[in-house]
Amino acid sequence: MITRNVSACIRDVQKQSTESGSGTQTILYLKGCPLYCNWCPNPELRNPEVRLVWDPIKAKHYEDGRIYSVQEVLELCLDNLDPAERTASGVTLTGGEALTQHTFVYELLSRLKELGVHTAVETTGYVPEGQFAKLLPLIDHLIFYVKHYEREAHRKITGVYNDLIIENLRNSLSSPSEVEVRLNLIPGLNDRPEDAEGFARLLQRIGVKQVQLFPSNNQTDPSNRHNAQGSASPFTEVELAAYQDAFQNLIR
Ligand code: SF4
């Protein structure tokens, strides 16, 4: 039995037209993240609660989020949407780490699936295994951001080890979800050719067949969520091609 009155702290709700133009995509930015990436572009999203923040330009405080119930979010996601078109549109959950608010996410995704709405989730994978397994059947498209292949280096740059993340990624590959692995290439942290080899070995061992590379200076990332910004040493096209070559040779 689903409880409809579960709520979550959400920083923003954005609506976008789908690429096909057949409907509206809703993107929810949930607050809260257990990682501490030292290049985090949105550190304010780490805190899971609504906070008062000072705006120096407007010289006043504002609230950096709002509490929404599942029902409120459903109404936002489905407005102006003909039932016949629902499967052509969808909802994307991101953060922060969206799955931190797992009870809300479970309730929301369950309702969306009942209504035939396409669901996508961006995650770091740093979620307790049981919670992650429970959510997987409700996610059509899982976008998995992997930060580093080496355990200690992962802890150094994000504050947590990657064991849980690797296990969740491995489990997601045998689920019905479409799994997309993304690597953010951060200058000096994971962008060397040996890093490409390290990532490729890890992902090959798990069974990942395809990855998307996002250099920190790449403007083609539609979301820029979880990506580094303002890099001091951006990738050149030649460097990126070398990274891709090293990677693709190993992932085959
Ligand atoms: S970059 Fe993403 S995963 Fe890392 S601390 Fe920021 S919100 Fe969390």
Side-chain angles (χ1 to χ4, degrees), residues 2-216:
I2 294 173
T3 309
R4 312 278 186 208
N5 59 357
V6 176
S7 60
C9 185
I10 297 177
R11 189 193 71 179
D12 200 12
V13 179
Q14 291 183 0
K15 304 284 253 184
Q16 289 179 359
S17 297
T18 54
E19 283 176 17
S20 62
S22 57
T24 308
Q25 181 81 17
T26 307
I27 303 172
L28 305 174
Y29 292 80
L30 281 83
K31 290 200 68 186
C33 181
L35 274 63
Y36 284 85
C37 304
N38 45 25
W39 66 92
C40 181
N42 301 306
E44 72 281 1
L45 279 171
R46 288 179 187 147
N47 190 296
E49 295 166 351
V50 178
R51 290 188 310 170
L52 270 184
V53 179
W54 176 251
D55 181 338
I57 297 172
K58 294 182 178 168
K60 63 178 185 182
H61 285 96
Y62 67 95
E63 292 187 335
D64 69 348
R66 217 201 97 184
I67 303 296
Y68 288 85
S69 68
V70 170
Q71 190 58 37
E72 277 182 295
V73 171
L74 277 174
E75 286 166 15
L76 282 171
C77 294
L78 301 178
D79 66 1
N80 301 322
L81 202 60
D82 187 295
E85 294 181 35
R86 275 182 190 151
T87 52
S89 301
V91 174
T92 299
L93 308 186
T94 185
E97 170 47 69
L99 304 188
T100 302
Q101 302 195 65
H102 60 93
T103 305
F104 172 88
V105 170
Y106 179 80
E107 305 275 346
L108 177 64
L109 293 181
S110 298
R111 286 288 289 131
L112 290 169
K113 293 303 289 175
E114 285 169 14
L115 295 165
V117 176
H118 184 273
T119 59
V121 171
E122 293 193 336
T123 186
T124 65
Y126 194 73
V127 187
E129 265 185 83
Q131 291 173 9
F132 192 75
K134 199 173 160 190
L135 293 170
L136 265 179
L138 303 172
I139 302 171
D140 294 312
H141 184 190
L142 183 68
I143 302 162
F144 216 115
Y145 285 85
V146 180
K147 313 283 187 181
H148 206 285
Y149 55 93
E150 202 275 317
R151 189 170 185 269
E152 193 55 48
H154 194 283
R155 189 198 60 78
K156 200 170 170 187
I157 65 172
T158 70
V160 303
Y161 289 111
N162 60 3
D163 310 67
L164 178 60
I165 291 165
I166 292 169
E167 210 42 50
N168 280 334
L169 176 56
R170 190 196 310 276
N171 291 336
S172 70
L173 294 173
S174 54
S175 78
S177 306
E178 176 199 350
V179 181
E180 177 183 342
V181 174
R182 293 186 179 181
L183 307 183
N184 291 332
L185 306 183
I186 313 296
L189 298 185
N190 61 10
D191 65 335
R192 304 162 304 169
E194 54 265 45
D195 294 326
E197 295 174 11
F199 272 123
R201 283 198 195 95
L202 168 69
L203 297 177
Q204 192 178 44
R205 181 157 49 86
I206 297 173
V208 174
K209 300 288 181 212
Q210 271 196 323
V211 296
Q212 302 267 3
L213 302 179
F214 289 107
S216 61

